[in-house]
Amino acid sequence: MLLAGITTLLLLPVGTALAWWIAKSQGRWRDIVTAVVSLPLVLPPTVLGFYLLVALGPFGPGGQLASLWGARTLAFSFEGLVIGSMVYSLPFMVLPLRMAFKAIGREPLEAGATLGASNNRIFWRIAVPLALPGFMSGAIMTFAHTLGEFGVVLMIGGNIPGETKVLSIAIYDFIERGQWVEAHIVSAGMVLFAYVVVTTAMQIQRIGARQ
């Protein structure tokens, strides 16, 4: 829960900036950036986890960053897990926001500019309120995806109790130890949570469409 919450909060500003730029940009870089952001949707978790492990390891940028406070690596740490979670959950924040920003259309923004509003004021007073369903949907989907991820988390975080062990890995441990009752309880809870997330996101999208 902590990992999913921190990842969602950190991705809100990052995803908002990326989604706004993608929605409004007309340059050739738009498609390239959109494709890079969408990669975690199609890459096998082991492939993404491997490259994140290399990047966060002692010989990658993560190791150089960790050396600033005397650590050797960001891999197999909670901080590294947050960075990895932000990468593989990024499309679940950016894509709903991009759709919400594009759905606004040009007219409301042009009307604000005609009335003399600055770009910042147009964004915060017009775009953000109109895209609120996209923010809610993106936050919910990001939280749920981070909570349920297994492959990438296991590769870059390992299975360290109290630091990098998450619910999906706990289910795997229960099954390995033959604790089927505990595995059923946690799995059923995640199924129920996933159902609530999906139905909530659908309701938010309907409200946004009506607005």
Side-chain angles (χ1 to χ4, degrees):
M1 289 289 187
L2 179 62
L3 174 65
I6 292 175
T7 300
T8 302
L9 289 175
L10 291 177
L11 277 182
L12 269 172
V14 176
T16 300
L18 272 173
W20 179 253
W21 181 83
I22 292 171
K24 300 306 172 187
S25 175
Q26 300 296 327
R28 62 176 182 174
W29 285 100
R30 179 189 61 184
D31 293 338
I32 296 174
V33 172
T34 303
V36 171
V37 169
S38 303
L39 278 178
L41 295 175
V42 295
L43 279 176
T46 49
V47 174
L48 185 59
F50 169 72
Y51 283 112
L52 283 171
L53 184 61
V54 171
L56 298 174
F59 303 108
Q64 298 175 5
L65 181 63
S67 66
L68 297 177
W69 57 83
R72 184 170 176 268
T73 177
L74 279 178
F76 308 108
S77 68
F78 184 77
E79 293 79 10
L81 205 53
V82 169
I83 295 173
S85 298
M86 290 179 66
V87 172
Y88 66 70
S89 291
L90 184 62
F92 293 88
M93 181 66 76
V94 172
L95 299 184
L97 280 173
R98 183 195 65 175
M99 293 176 60
F101 285 139
K102 287 185 71 69
I104 294 173
R106 298 175 58 183
E107 290 79 7
L109 307 181
E110 290 176 350
T114 301
L115 294 173
S118 64
N119 289 336
N120 284 337
R121 190 174 180 84
I122 290 172
F123 177 76
W124 289 109
R125 298 297 295 273
I126 300 176
V128 170
L130 290 176
L132 188 59
F135 280 95
M136 296 176 65
S137 180
I140 292 171
M141 296 302 293
T142 299
F143 185 90
H145 178 255
T146 305
L147 190 65
E149 179 58 38
F150 174 78
V152 174
V153 170
L154 185 62
M155 290 198 69
I156 64 175
N159 188 6
I160 305 173
E163 185 167 0
T164 63
K165 187 172 184 177
V166 297
L167 285 176
S168 56
I169 295 178
I171 294 172
Y172 180 78
D173 285 345
F174 285 142
I175 294 173
E176 277 203 323
R177 295 196 296 264
Q179 296 175 273
W180 295 95
V181 174
E182 290 83 354
H184 274 302
I185 292 173
V186 178
S187 297
M190 293 191 72
V191 169
L192 179 61
F193 176 77
Y195 176 79
V196 171
V197 165
V198 171
T199 54
T200 302
M202 291 171 61
Q203 290 297 325
I204 291 172
Q205 289 174 355
R206 290 195 186 100
I207 293 172
R210 286 199 297 268
Q211 290 177 344

